[in-house]
């Protein structure tokens, strides 16, 4: 029996709207979109024009810095529009889907015989490569690197997060196949981290040659970065890869069916009538999953979870990596004397509101910042929700003053912004910590590229 | 509520960009946010935020100070009536003390916030709530009969030199409230020490009853009195009396009981650091024990028991409200243990070994405020070295 790593630090944000454990099958959406903005630092180069016909698995655009990395269409159909944002940056490539999807055919070797040299070109060509993220930086992995190890976190502890044990059960054989493929990409170990609380009926167990780890604790223990820190921390110069469990499934399915079939499960959570799991496809429009939105509703739609997700418009599309859509109310209303009110219904990590009387209450939180931005005043707070041997304030200050040596010494390679999301949440000074961390990572990346 | 909201909605345009009073916007907003938590929504990063903000945090500290303040008011009144030989009810005493302490609070807040608002105007950003606490701390750590103009000068000095010169709340090196006290102590020592300043009206009141003295317990010890008493030589104080705190001293420092209620509020809400509070008391206690064991016979301060040491003077108040100031304390968790321990130890050291100055808490905290970045430096260095070692192990 493996030892369970118990992480004491962290915070569970108990929100209303947990997904019910039911799968709803959604019809194939009429259009889907791929968003180059989902990929950090990507400069996309288009290979299609409006009106072009594509198959599922045909390239739409590629990475300017590495033309091997292509991004392919999830459906067959016609390129409806290429939407550009500020400074003509491409934000969405929208494809109108055929009624019957036809797939680009690939020649895939059997999993047992596949070699790294066969797998990588196939993953690149099929557009599945971008699912693999590299640490440090959490950017697209470089196919020429041989990662030290590969890490998969098989659970998500973020607020309202989908339950992967429930979700992957649907695609268990694909997951096992996907892991077998990924194992061939590294010379080191492949690690899968399981949540101790749900280990009993886990579909992730008993895959050969995988090193399993058991964790227990509050969010952010489900973040793969936190797990890496406790399993085998990243040193300067190390490269490891990470991938989400559902994306492993997509890779496994590709090697089974030899087509790019990006159907996946998304949890619809938060401020909705029927929070549940929906079977749809990558890049699906929000309206196909969440139809309650009206002109008058004062809600924010988030692709991902409330801590790290991306705000999307009602006519927007699901993010590339996301398995969750969260709806919360906008907090655009002032509150009278809020700093002195008893606050029975206010969620706080501190016990400065009387809501501590009901520890198990489910909250309906909105997007108000609850106060203005201030300089760092309180200390020792971030440490309580950052289960890493890292000094958060010192690291953030090193980033603010752009001290590269200091950032390295304080462990910037071990973190990405999602690990600091809870610090940002609890910060009484309302400092935008996640952007700061990303700013630091960008500085370091630029310095060494 | 509606009325205020309407007033704000009506007048705000004049203060916004292009409006008549554009330059006054930060000051206007400071008042607006006092009434209403603004409707700002999250733009980047986490979409939801904790309900706590700086105002809430600071108000909790002020609530935690209330027991000490209320007890202090009663204590001032009670000792006053004792000094003129009159009977008084609890309410009489409290009301007398209230009237005497209120001007101190008004001056402290008036001067301090005045300076703060000037800087809000100059810097053009919203007011920082830090002074809400400082402004309440200052009246609690001065003698009741301090002339108001001195208090005003000290407050202005503390805010200007102690805080705004460094860039405002969050940037200061030493605790502004303690700096105000240190300023008073060194600039006007006759109003900050001796045996007449601690009781209201003692210096020039013709009706003082015979045998009444207004020395603090530490003052008595420095003058060679081993068994502490309150006001009259035969009114000996037990340890429990010292814990309750009905004796002469600064406005808010005498009652360890009231201070511990505040400490409980601070710790329970998660505002102050348990590490610092605990280690200050531990440091002081151990240092006093050490002195007890080596004390030459007849040295009253060195012989004072450890428990008595932490009960009397400003020790408890400093440990709970001053040392825990997050801006000037050590910032790392390990550093906080060291920082607190050294404050406690130095406070007792100064008390016992420096005969000219019986109250060591203020100087101990100010000293460690200055040294806390150094403590943090070595704590962080250890973390850096551990990380480097890990990297080197791998490469060799």
């Amino acid at each position: 029996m493996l030892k369970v790593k118990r992480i004491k630090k962290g915070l569970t944000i108990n929100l209303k709207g947990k997904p019910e454990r039911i799968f709803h099958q959604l019809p194939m959406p009429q259009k889907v979109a791929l968003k180059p903005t989902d990929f950090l630092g990507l400069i996309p180069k288009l290979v299609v024009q409006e009106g072009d016909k594509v198959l599922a698995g045909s390239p739409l655009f590629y990475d300017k810095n590495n033309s091997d990395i292509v991004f392919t269409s999830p459906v067959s159909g016609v390129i409806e529009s290429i939407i550009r944002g500020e400074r003509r940056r491409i934000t969405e490539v929208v494809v109108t889907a055929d009624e019957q999807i036809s797939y680009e055919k690939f020649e895939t070797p059997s999993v047992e015989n596949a070699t790294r040299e066969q797998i990588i070109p196939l993953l690149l060509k099929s557009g599945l490569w971008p699912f693999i993220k590299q640490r440090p930086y959490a950017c697209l992995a470089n196919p020429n690197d041989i990662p030290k190890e590969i890490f998969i976190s098989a659970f998500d502890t973020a607020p309202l997060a989908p339950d992967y044990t429930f979700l992957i059960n649907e695609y268990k054989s694909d997951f096992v196949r996907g892991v077998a493929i990924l194992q061939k990409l590294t010379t080191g170990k492949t690690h899968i981290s399981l949540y101790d609380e749900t280990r009993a009926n886990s579909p992730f167990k008993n895959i050969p040659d995988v090193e399993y780890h058991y964790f227990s604790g509050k969010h952010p223990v489900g973040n793969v970065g936190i797990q890496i820190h406790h399993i085998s921390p990243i040193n300067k110069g190390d490269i490891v890869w990470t991938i989400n469990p559902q994306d492993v499934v997509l890779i496994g399915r590709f090697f089974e069916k030899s087509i790019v079939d990006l159907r996946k499960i998304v949890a619809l959570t938060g401020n909705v009538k029927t929070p549940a799991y929906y079977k749809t496809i990558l890049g699906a429009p929000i309206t196909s999953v969440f139809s309650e939105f009206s002109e008058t509703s004062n809600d924010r739609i988030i692709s991902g979870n409330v801590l790290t997700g991306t705000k999307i418009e009602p006519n927007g599309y699901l993010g590339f990596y996301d398995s969750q859509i969260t709806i919360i109310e906008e907090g655009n209303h002032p509150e009278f004397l809020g700093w002195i009110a008893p606050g029975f219904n206010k969620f706080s990590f501190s016990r400065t509101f009387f809501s501590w009387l009901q520890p198990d209450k489910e909250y309906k939180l909105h997007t108000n910042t609850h106060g203005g931005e201030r300089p760092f005043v309180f200390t020792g707070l971030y440490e309580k929700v950052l289960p890493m041997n890292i000094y958060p304030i010192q690291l953030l200050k090193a980033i603010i003053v752009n001290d590269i040596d200091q950032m390295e010494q304080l462990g910037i390679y071990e973190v990405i912004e999602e690990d600091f999301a809870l610090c940002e949440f609890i910060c009484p000074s309302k400092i935008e910590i996640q952007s700061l961390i990303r700013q630091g990572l960008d500085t370091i990346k630029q310095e060494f590229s | 509520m509606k009325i205020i909201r309407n007033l704000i909605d009506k007048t705000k345009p004049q203060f916004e960009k292009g409006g008549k009073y554009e330059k006054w916007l930060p000051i206007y907003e400071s008042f607006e946010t006092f009434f209403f938590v603004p409707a700002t929504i999250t733009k980047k990063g986490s979409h939801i935020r904790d309900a706590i903000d700086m105002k809430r945090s600071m108000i909790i500290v002020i609530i935690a100070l209330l027991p000490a303040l209320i007890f202090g008011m009663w204590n001032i009144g009670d000792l006053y009536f004792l000094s003129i030989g009159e009977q008084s009810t609890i309410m009489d005493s409290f009301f007398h003390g209230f009237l005497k302490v209120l001007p101190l609070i008004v001056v402290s807040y008036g001067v301090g916030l005045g300076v703060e608002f000037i800087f809000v105007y100059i810097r053009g950003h919203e007011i920082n709530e830090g002074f809400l606490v400082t402004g309440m701390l200052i009246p609690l750590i001065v003698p009741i009969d301090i002339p108001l103009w001195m208090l005003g000068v000290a407050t202005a000095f503390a805010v200007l030199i102690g805080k705004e010169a460094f860039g405002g709340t969050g940037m200061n090196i030493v605790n502004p409230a303690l700096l105000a006290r240190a300023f008073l102590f060194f600039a006007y020592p006759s109003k900050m020490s001796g045996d007449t300043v601690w009781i209201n009206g003692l210096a020039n009141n013709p009706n003082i009853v015979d045998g009444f003295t207004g020395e603090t317990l530490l003052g008595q010890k420095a003058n060679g009195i081993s068994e502490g008493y309150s006001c009259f030589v035969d009114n000996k104080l037990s340890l429990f009396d010292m814990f309750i705190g009905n004796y002469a001293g600064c406005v808010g420092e005498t009652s360890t009981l009231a201070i511990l209620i505040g400490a409980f509020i601070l710790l329970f809400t998660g505002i102050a650091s348990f590490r610092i509070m605990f280690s200050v008391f531990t440091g002081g206690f151990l240092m006093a024990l050490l002195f007890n064991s080596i004390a030459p016979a007849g040295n009253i301060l060195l012989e004072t028991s450890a428990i008595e040491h932490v009960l009397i003077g400003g020790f408890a108040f400093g440990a709970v409200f001053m040392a825990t100031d997050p801006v000037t304390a050590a910032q790392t968790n390990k550093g906080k243990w060291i920082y607190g321990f050294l404050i406690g130890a130095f406070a007792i050291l100064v008390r016992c070994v420096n005969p000219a100055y019986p109250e060591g808490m203020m100087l101990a905290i100010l000293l460690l405020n200055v040294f806390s970045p150094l403590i943090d430096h070595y704590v962080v260095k250890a973390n850096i070295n551990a990380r480097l070692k890990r990297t080197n192990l791998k490469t060799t």
Side-chain angles (χ1 to χ4, degrees):
Chain A
M1 186 67 92
L2 271 165
K3 219 179 131 210
V4 178
K5 293 190 179 70
R6 294 189 194 285
I7 307 289
K8 292 209 187 77
K9 296 171 170 183
L11 170 67
T12 304
I13 304 175
N14 199 4
L15 294 186
K16 254 194 189 132
K18 295 187 179 60
E20 203 188 339
R21 294 165 83 89
I22 296 176
F23 290 119
H24 293 281
Q25 177 68 52
L26 290 175
M28 187 56 69
Q30 283 164 358
K31 49 187 179 179
V32 300
L34 221 54
K35 299 184 282 186
T37 47
D38 285 341
F39 311 96
L40 278 169
L42 173 75
I43 304 171
K45 284 279 161 194
L46 285 170
V47 291
V48 290
Q49 294 175 337
E50 285 179 18
D52 282 0
K53 282 205 159 142
V54 289
L55 297 175
S58 307
L60 298 177
F61 51 89
Y62 63 89
D63 182 358
K64 188 190 168 194
N65 295 322
N66 185 344
S67 55
D68 287 340
I69 301 179
V70 300
F71 301 81
T72 56
S73 173
V75 293
S76 63
V78 182
I79 308 290
E80 186 203 88
S81 54
I82 290 159
I83 297 169
R84 290 171 188 271
E86 271 172 51
R87 286 189 271 161
R88 298 202 28 85
R89 212 162 73 124
I90 302 165
T91 56
E92 283 168 11
V93 178
V94 185
V95 186
T96 312
D98 293 338
E99 281 196 8
Q100 268 302 322
I101 294 192
S102 26
Y103 295 93
E104 187 115 26
K105 286 271 183 298
F106 292 86
E107 284 194 12
T108 51
S110 71
V111 175
E112 299 79 54
N113 303 332
T115 62
R116 184 184 153 92
E117 289 65 37
Q118 289 172 306
I119 294 169
I120 287 184
L122 271 170
L123 287 179
L124 285 168
K125 213 168 147 236
S126 60
L128 298 174
W129 182 261
F131 287 122
I132 302 173
K133 284 190 185 180
Q134 175 208 302
R135 292 293 176 105
Y137 313 127
C139 57
L140 295 176
N142 182 347
N144 300 324
D145 288 335
I146 297 180
K148 191 177 92 168
E149 284 157 313
I150 292 177
F151 292 88
I152 301 166
S153 168
F155 64 103
D156 190 345
T157 46
L160 302 177
D163 178 1
Y164 283 124
T165 44
F166 173 64
L167 189 150
I168 298 297
N169 248 330
E170 287 289 291
Y171 305 125
K172 194 178 168 203
S173 57
D174 285 338
F175 183 82
V176 175
R177 199 173 301 112
V179 172
I181 291 291
L182 289 168
Q183 281 173 332
K184 305 206 170 182
L185 302 183
T186 173
T187 48
K189 290 174 188 153
T190 302
H191 302 267
I192 296 184
S193 305
L194 301 178
Y195 203 33
D196 190 45
E197 279 81 340
T198 54
R199 71 198 284 178
N201 47 3
S202 169
F204 302 103
K205 286 194 294 195
N206 305 327
I207 303 174
D209 301 326
V210 165
E211 187 154 312
Y212 286 98
H213 305 271
Y214 293 95
F215 284 87
S216 102
K218 299 169 180 171
H219 190 60
V221 68
N223 285 5
V224 68
I226 305 288
Q227 294 161 4
I228 297 173
H229 183 86
H230 288 273
I231 295 167
S232 152
I234 301 168
N235 295 313
K236 186 182 180 179
D238 285 352
I239 285 178
V240 302
W241 288 351
T242 68
I243 181 165
N244 296 332
Q246 208 171 185
D247 302 340
V248 177
V249 168
L250 299 180
I251 290 176
R253 192 184 295 153
F254 172 73
F255 279 87
E256 163 76 6
K257 295 162 92 177
S258 303
I259 54 170
V260 178
D261 178 359
L262 299 183
R263 281 176 298 159
K264 66 189 280 189
I265 297 171
V266 175
L268 177 64
T269 64
N271 202 2
V272 291
K273 278 193 205 108
T274 50
Y277 293 89
Y278 289 86
K279 289 187 174 173
T280 180
I281 192 164
L282 187 140
I286 293 303
T287 44
S288 71
V289 186
F290 171 60
S291 48
E292 294 162 35
F293 197 86
S294 69
E295 287 297 309
T296 51
S297 54
N298 185 28
D299 285 339
R300 178 181 295 196
I301 304 170
I302 300 161
S303 180
N305 66 57
V306 285
L307 291 175
T308 59
T310 324
K311 178 187 172 178
I312 42 180
E313 298 304 317
N315 58 358
Y317 300 86
L318 184 67
F320 190 78
Y321 298 102
D322 297 327
S323 300
Q324 180 183 9
I325 297 170
T326 314
I327 317 290
I328 54 171
E329 194 196 331
E330 289 283 11
N332 47 4
H333 36 74
E335 190 195 352
F336 187 60
L337 294 183
W339 49 273
I340 188 72
F344 286 101
N345 53 0
K346 287 199 175 154
F347 183 82
S348 178
F349 178 61
S350 67
R351 293 206 198 91
T352 54
F353 294 89
F354 279 100
S355 50
W356 60 264
L357 290 166
Q358 308 146 281
D360 296 324
K361 184 178 168 165
E362 283 191 336
Y363 290 85
K364 221 170 139 178
L365 299 185
H366 53 66
T367 63
N368 194 294
T369 55
H370 300 290
E373 188 164 345
R374 298 287 184 272
F376 289 108
V377 167
F378 286 94
T379 60
L381 265 183
Y382 303 154
E383 282 91 339
K384 292 183 188 169
V385 292
L386 181 72
M388 291 175 131
N389 184 18
I390 277 178
Y391 285 102
I393 290 200
Q394 282 70 21
L395 177 60
L396 289 167
K397 287 187 174 171
I399 292 171
I400 291 172
V401 299
N402 232 343
D403 184 337
I404 288 169
D405 288 341
Q406 188 86 2
M407 284 188 240
E408 282 192 335
Q409 290 170 345
L410 291 170
I412 190 140
Y413 294 116
E414 297 168 47
V415 303
I416 62 163
E417 56 267 47
E418 66 174 18
D419 302 327
F420 278 73
L422 275 177
C423 300
E424 182 173 74
F425 173 78
I426 64 163
C427 180
S429 299
K430 311 292 172 191
I431 295 168
E432 293 189 324
I433 294 172
Q434 292 195 80
S435 326
L436 267 178
I437 294 287
R438 180 44 64 186
Q439 180 193 326
L441 289 169
D442 285 346
T443 311
I444 296 273
K445 202 176 167 200
Q446 240 166 31
E447 183 73 17
F448 295 105
S449 63
Chain B
M1 172 185 162
K2 268 263 164 66
I3 302 171
I4 304 171
R5 187 72 243 169
N6 288 342
L7 190 72
I8 288 173
D9 288 342
K10 214 148 103 200
T11 50
K12 188 144 191 203
Q14 298 185 15
F15 291 91
E16 274 162 350
K17 223 170 171 197
K20 210 165 156 192
Y21 306 109
E22 189 186 326
K23 281 201 112 179
W24 295 87
L25 180 68
I27 293 180
Y28 183 85
E29 277 187 336
S30 300
F31 281 105
E32 188 195 341
T33 58
F34 175 81
F35 288 110
F36 289 96
V37 175
T40 348
I41 52 173
T42 52
K43 298 246 158 53
K44 284 194 277 184
S46 176
H47 296 271
I48 53 173
R49 298 294 165 94
D50 199 306
I52 196 173
D53 70 340
M54 207 51 80
K55 279 193 181 63
R56 184 79 183 186
S57 313
M58 294 303 170
I59 220 72
I60 296 287
V61 184
I62 290 178
I63 290 170
L65 280 167
L66 288 181
L69 175 72
I70 291 167
F71 183 92
M73 286 173 170
W74 170 78
N75 190 36
I76 296 292
D78 187 63
L79 296 180
Y80 168 76
F81 286 116
L82 214 58
S83 76
I84 57 171
E86 275 184 28
Q87 292 288 325
S88 65
T89 64
I90 289 182
M91 278 322 287
D92 287 342
S93 301
F94 173 77
F95 197 64
H96 179 85
F98 176 77
L99 288 182
K100 293 295 160 191
V101 177
L102 192 64
L104 301 182
I105 299 177
V106 171
V107 168
S108 161
Y109 271 124
V111 173
L113 286 177
V115 177
E116 290 269 351
F117 272 112
I118 293 172
F119 277 89
V120 165
Y121 184 81
I122 295 173
R123 294 220 175 93
H125 57 56
E126 230 188 286
I127 195 161
N128 278 320
E129 289 81 1
F131 190 77
L132 293 179
V133 170
T134 311
M136 184 59 94
L137 283 173
I138 291 175
L140 290 178
I141 54 172
V142 292
I144 183 68
D145 272 2
I146 187 92
L148 292 178
W149 68 267
M150 284 185 194
L151 188 70
V153 172
T155 307
F157 175 83
V159 176
L160 272 172
I161 306 297
K163 200 161 85 171
E164 294 303 338
F166 292 100
T169 303
M171 322 285 180
N172 45 312
I173 311 266
V174 298
N175 187 319
L178 272 184
L179 191 69
R181 193 179 195 279
F183 177 85
L184 286 170
F185 187 84
F186 291 110
Y188 312 107
S190 66
K191 297 287 178 192
M192 288 294 287
S193 52
D195 50 12
T196 59
V197 298
W198 311 102
I199 309 287
N200 175 230
L202 192 59
N204 40 23
N205 191 336
N207 304 325
I208 303 296
V209 292
D210 285 344
F212 187 93
T213 62
E215 271 184 319
T216 63
L217 293 178
L218 278 169
Q220 292 166 8
K221 285 189 191 300
N223 291 339
I225 298 160
S226 64
E227 269 184 273
Y229 58 83
S230 172
C231 304
F232 298 99
V233 179
D234 52 358
N235 185 16
K236 298 272 186 256
L237 294 180
S238 66
L239 283 179
F240 183 73
D241 294 332
M242 291 176 186
F243 178 69
I244 297 298
N246 182 206
Y247 53 83
C250 291
V251 175
E253 73 172 14
T254 58
S255 172
T256 309
L257 173 66
I259 292 165
L260 286 186
I261 295 173
F264 174 77
I265 295 173
L266 289 180
L267 293 177
F268 182 76
T269 52
I271 295 291
S273 163
F274 170 76
R275 292 177 175 84
I276 295 178
M277 269 189 218
F278 181 79
S279 59
V280 173
F281 281 109
T282 316
F285 198 82
L286 292 182
M287 193 70 178
L289 279 186
L290 177 74
F291 278 146
N292 288 166
S293 68
I294 58 164
N299 189 322
I300 291 161
L301 276 163
L302 289 183
E303 277 177 346
T304 303
S305 77
I307 296 179
E308 200 177 335
H309 258 307
V310 299
L311 290 178
I312 63 175
F315 193 91
F317 193 88
V320 172
F321 294 110
M322 294 294 182
T324 52
D325 169 16
V327 176
T328 54
Q331 302 189 342
T332 54
N333 284 342
K334 271 182 210 151
K336 281 175 179 156
W337 291 115
I338 303 169
Y339 164 86
F341 189 88
L342 289 179
I343 286 182
F346 272 112
I348 301 300
L349 182 74
V350 176
R351 244 185 211 182
C352 296
V353 181
N354 180 357
Y357 184 49
E359 181 46 285
M361 200 59 185
M362 174 181 90
L363 290 182
I365 297 175
L366 286 175
L367 181 75
L368 266 296
N369 280 170
V370 174
F371 277 99
S372 64
L374 187 72
I375 298 173
D376 281 336
H377 175 80
Y378 283 105
V379 172
V380 172
K381 195 91 190 159
N383 178 277
I384 290 173
N385 286 341
R387 188 167 284 112
L388 275 179
K389 208 169 153 194
R390 199 175 74 201
T391 318
N392 292 342
L393 265 183
K394 206 200 69 185
T395 48
T396 52

